[in-house]
Amino acid sequence: AQSVTQPDIHITVSEGASLELRCNYSYGATPYLFWYVQSPGQGLQLLLKYFSGDTLVQGIKGFEAEFKRSQSSFNLRKPSVHWSDAAEYFCAVGADTGRRALTFGSGTRLQVQP
Amino acid sequence: NAGVTQTPKFQVLKTGQSMTLQCAQDMNHNSMYWYRQDPGMGLRLIYYSASEGTTDKGEVPNGYNVSRLNKREFSLRLESAAPSQTSVYFCASRPTGQETQYFGPGTRLLVL
């Protein structure tokens, strides 16, 4: 069975500082990996995704993530955080067969200090 | 092009009441999903539909029924609501052959 672990429940960074959100997954084959962002009271917006190829993927809003197979990780990064980045971030893994439902991590809530 | 829409946005029920959460997508996607989101647990799959007329149970289907009468709409029904069903419910759709799911804005349900 696939699973996703986001070790950090809550992270606080200062505006302008760099950000890294951790994500570790467990999956038997090559995973499809996603990062979604959820602003307060809103739905989920796709930030970026990895299916194959280049292990460093670029997303919207200046985010990027790096797939490291040896570490079973897919960490999300941003060089300089903006106050509008305050939200909850979810890492998810998807299967490449069957119903292709997503398995989500428990989320990391990001707070940005002025 | 509205994407995935959900109604209502917010609902309060009393224990034992029934209700149907509506979801519709205008992207001509075959696959649709219902998830629930609880604090500290991420999203969990309730039901899945691969196409019109077909449904399949997910991780947490107990207490729910679904209906996929046409390609656009996928409804979730609570026959007898329980406080444990207090949650935020998300509907999603996915085009055939692609892996990305597109989510609706969610329905926040409170069962008293």
Side-chain angles (χ1 to χ4, degrees):
Chain A
Q2 57 205 52
S3 65
V4 177
T5 302
Q6 293 181 248
D8 304 305
I9 296 173
H10 184 229
I11 284 181
T12 300
V13 299
S14 298
E15 191 168 17
S18 63
L19 172 70
E20 183 169 24
L21 302 182
R22 296 183 292 166
C23 172
N24 293 97
Y25 68 90
S26 173
Y27 186 66
T30 300
Y32 295 114
L33 294 162
F34 305 82
W35 275 100
Y36 283 87
V37 59
Q38 184 181 29
S39 298
Q42 303 298 312
L44 279 76
Q45 181 182 21
L46 180 67
L47 281 177
L48 48 77
K49 58 190 177 185
Y50 171 79
F51 296 159
S52 64
D54 192 347
T55 57
L56 183 64
V57 293
Q58 303 296 321
I60 62 171
K61 304 184 179 185
F63 285 92
E64 66 178 26
E66 186 171 12
F67 170 62
K68 293 185 177 180
R69 184 187 300 275
S70 61
Q71 298 178 19
S72 297
S73 69
F74 189 56
N75 294 348
L76 182 71
R77 301 194 294 249
K78 186 171 185 178
S80 178
V81 171
H82 188 262
W83 64 266
S84 61
D85 293 324
E88 189 151 22
Y89 292 79
F90 292 94
C91 181
V93 62
D96 59 354
T97 59
R99 67 183 63 172
R100 301 186 183 185
L102 297 177
T103 298
F104 285 83
S106 54
T108 297
R109 182 166 298 279
L110 174 65
Q111 185 175 354
V112 180
Q113 289 183 332
Chain B
N1 188 335
V4 181
T5 57
Q6 293 183 238
T7 55
K9 291 184 178 179
F10 181 72
Q11 183 72 46
V12 179
L13 291 178
K14 294 181 180 178
T15 296
Q17 288 185 317
S18 63
M19 79 162 294
T20 300
L21 283 64
Q22 304 288 350
C23 172
Q25 50 91 11
D26 61 2
M27 298 175 285
N28 203 36
H29 293 170
N30 281 317
S31 297
M32 297 186 73
Y33 306 79
W34 274 106
Y35 294 89
R36 61 177 287 175
Q37 181 185 31
D38 301 296
M41 299 188 72
L43 280 73
R44 293 179 293 169
L45 182 68
I46 306 172
Y47 266 96
Y48 162 68
S49 172
S51 62
E52 176 183 342
T54 67
T55 62
D56 191 16
K57 293 179 179 179
E59 182 184 356
V60 288
N62 291 342
Y64 305 96
N65 286 303
V66 290
S67 178
R68 183 86 183 273
L69 296 179
N70 55 59
K71 194 172 188 177
R72 287 189 67 250
E73 298 169 299
F74 188 35
S75 60
L76 179 72
R77 182 161 179 83
L78 286 70
E79 292 290 351
S80 179
S84 61
Q85 294 178 304
T86 293
S87 189
V88 182
Y89 292 85
F90 287 101
C91 178
S93 68
R94 178 180 63 82
T96 301
Q98 296 186 30
E99 309 307 323
T100 301
Q101 292 184 25
Y102 298 85
F103 285 82
T107 293
R108 188 173 297 272
L109 177 66
L110 175 62
V111 183
L112 301 175

